[in-house]
Amino acid sequence: MSEVYTWEPSNAAIAARYGLDPADILRFDTNTSPQAPPFVAETLGGPFDPPLNEYPDSAYAALTAAAAAYLEAPSEEIIVGAGADELLDLAAKAFLPAGGAALLPVPTYGMYGVLTSQRGARIAALPRRGPEEGFALDREAVIARLPDVQLVWLCDPNNPTGRSEDPATLEAILDAAAGLGAKGPLVVVDEAYHEFAGTSVAGWRGRYERLLVLRTLSKAFGLAGVRVGYGVAARPTIARLERVRPPGSISTVSATLGATALARPELARANVARLAEERARLAAGLVACGWQPYPSTANFLLVRVGDGTVAAAEAAADGLLRAGIVPRTFGPANPLRGHLRLTVRDRASDDRLLATLAALAERPGQAEPAGQGRS
């Protein structure tokens, strides 16, 4: 594999090496403009530090250090990216060869299948357990397939079902993968909704070298538009990912905001508490509308629409869209076609959703309550 490609050393690195003040460093090596355009200060209410006319530090030292502090992990076991999706992509590039295979328990996050296909690899789809078991992983079935794949995509809590996995199941899968030695797959555990669930396997990386845990600032931290994600793993796994990571995919603004957010976790905790309370209220309102929300440990609810038929879900989605409300729907091959996924928002937004559902229930042929859906 090729060596890690990085841009020129940062001002801070040069200053530290030569005993200088970073503010005194002048860049004659990067072919950048000597100043940012005036609208930057006008838009942001003042100059941005670090200056936006210069490239970001390709090592993202401040962001990496903030993620390390938040996770209580050494910086060398951290990798950052432009959202967790970029890190998923890096995992596929580093560990999933063309012609290989990735294990995909379904239903789950759609990008896993997309990234697998982009690598020219085979999707080894494996059904989860049914709704009566909370769409949990089929432990024995997953373990049986491990020798045949190079990568395992797991999401905990799972998107779009909203349920956390049994830690004993995750441990059994990781034990079995580790037992395969050098031929064992990388196990990716996507913890995008970690702050809502409160559980994590990040502390297990010392036991499992090929465990990669991914996080994001898009959910609990409320910074989806900033596009910052980070991962934690044993150093050999991080080193392998670094070889395929582009050096400048995170903007200076995003890296700065991301480091600031991670240094203030109390704001994320407050957001999680508010959304958890609102999630319970929204779930009760959906039940009153005749819909069945499944238990969730995330910031969304998977909902069985009316009588659970595809027609009922499609009618409800159409009615909501006509009112300017966008639900998450599921395609023809998805086992959740008779369901919708609804994000928990603020009280006013959720009230608008519930009021729209109540109005739809009163119209013939539109999102009837359970037992009265369209055939």
Side-chain angles (χ1 to χ4, degrees):
M1 236 178 224
S2 61
E3 294 299 318
V4 179
Y5 175 75
T6 60
W7 283 347
E8 291 75 9
S10 66
N11 289 1
I14 294 171
R17 180 175 180 180
Y18 294 100
L20 302 173
D21 184 339
D24 290 336
I25 304 296
L26 287 175
R27 305 299 305 225
F28 283 85
D29 61 334
T30 54
N31 299 336
T32 55
S33 174
Q35 59 188 18
F39 65 78
V40 171
E42 295 166 4
T43 302
L44 299 177
F48 195 87
D49 185 31
L52 299 186
N53 56 299
E54 301 291 353
Y55 289 116
D57 165 22
S58 63
Y60 299 109
L63 177 60
T64 301
Y70 180 68
L71 278 167
E72 298 182 344
S75 292
E76 60 267 23
E77 294 182 354
I78 300 292
I79 188 168
V80 298
D85 282 345
E86 183 181 45
L87 298 174
L88 292 171
D89 184 49
L90 297 185
K93 287 178 178 177
F95 288 88
L96 186 57
L103 188 60
L104 186 65
V106 293
T108 194
Y109 182 39
M111 277 302 296
Y112 306 147
V114 171
L115 293 169
T116 300
S117 296
Q118 286 178 347
R119 293 298 299 158
R122 177 173 57 87
I123 298 172
L126 183 68
R128 289 173 170 269
R129 297 191 181 276
E132 68 283 352
E133 296 182 73
F135 301 99
L137 288 169
D138 187 332
R139 181 192 307 190
E140 292 74 20
V142 170
I143 290 174
R145 300 287 292 276
L146 293 178
D148 305 322
V149 302
Q150 290 75 47
L151 192 150
V152 180
W153 298 114
L154 301 180
C155 189
D156 184 35
N158 186 46
N159 173 16
T161 61
R163 290 293 295 269
S164 295
E165 300 295 348
D166 178 4
T169 293
L170 296 175
E171 187 172 31
I173 292 170
L174 287 163
D175 279 339
L180 296 172
K183 295 183 178 180
L186 174 74
V187 179
V188 176
V189 180
D190 183 352
E191 293 186 348
Y193 301 92
H194 154 72
E195 284 81 8
F196 295 93
T199 58
S200 176
V201 298
W204 297 359
R205 65 190 181 281
R207 295 162 52 192
Y208 306 110
E209 182 176 305
R210 289 200 172 183
L211 165 65
L212 172 63
V213 178
L214 300 182
R215 303 274 186 87
T216 181
L217 301 188
S218 296
K219 310 303 179 183
F221 286 90
L223 291 174
V226 170
R227 307 307 301 134
V228 171
Y230 58 100
V232 61
R235 180 59 202 167
T237 293
I238 294 297
R240 190 160 167 177
L241 295 170
E242 287 174 339
R243 294 190 182 101
V244 296
R245 184 176 75 84
S249 61
I250 310 174
S251 75
T252 296
V253 173
S254 293
T256 303
L257 291 175
T260 301
L262 287 164
R264 301 192 61 186
E266 72 279 1
L267 299 180
R269 288 194 292 268
N271 190 37
V272 167
R274 179 188 68 78
L275 288 171
E277 182 177 358
E278 180 62 14
R279 181 180 64 208
R281 193 187 75 89
L282 176 60
L286 292 168
V287 170
C289 290
W291 289 16
Q292 178 190 329
Y294 292 93
S296 173
T297 55
N299 68 332
F300 60 84
L301 291 166
L302 178 68
V303 184
R304 181 178 181 270
V305 179
D307 58 3
T309 62
V310 173
E314 289 179 347
D318 182 71
L320 289 171
L321 286 165
R322 290 177 185 277
I325 295 172
V326 186
R328 172 66 165 89
T329 58
F330 301 99
N334 197 299
L336 297 177
R337 276 198 75 195
H339 300 72
L340 297 178
R341 192 193 68 194
L342 301 171
T343 303
V344 179
R345 302 193 67 86
D346 56 43
R347 189 180 186 94
S349 299
D350 294 341
D351 281 346
R352 178 181 162 191
L353 166 67
L354 293 172
T356 302
L357 293 180
L360 289 174
E362 295 175 359
R363 301 176 194 170
Q366 297 284 333
E368 294 90 339
Q372 301 178 34
R374 296 169 64 190
S375 60

XYZ file of all heavy atoms in Angstrom, residues 58 131 182 200 239 305:
36
model
N -3.723 19.771 7.060
C -4.187 18.480 6.548
C -4.162 17.382 7.603
O -4.773 16.324 7.419
C -3.352 18.059 5.338
O -1.999 17.865 5.696
N -39.955 -7.738 13.269
C -40.347 -6.622 14.122
C -40.675 -7.025 15.554
O -40.475 -6.247 16.483
C -41.570 -6.045 13.402
C -42.053 -7.140 12.500
C -40.845 -7.897 12.104
N -5.822 -13.259 10.702
C -5.521 -12.297 9.643
C -6.562 -12.324 8.528
O -6.680 -11.359 7.761
C -4.141 -12.577 9.060
N -21.753 2.143 23.769
C -20.713 2.193 22.751
C -19.794 0.987 22.885
O -19.612 0.440 23.983
C -19.887 3.476 22.883
O -18.806 3.492 21.964
N -3.974 3.455 10.778
C -2.889 3.663 9.827
C -3.300 3.219 8.423
O -2.952 3.866 7.422
C -1.648 2.900 10.283
N -47.492 2.153 9.227
C -48.569 3.055 8.817
C -49.881 2.290 8.681
O -49.967 1.310 7.931
C -48.231 3.734 7.480
C -49.375 4.654 7.048
C -46.934 4.529 7.609
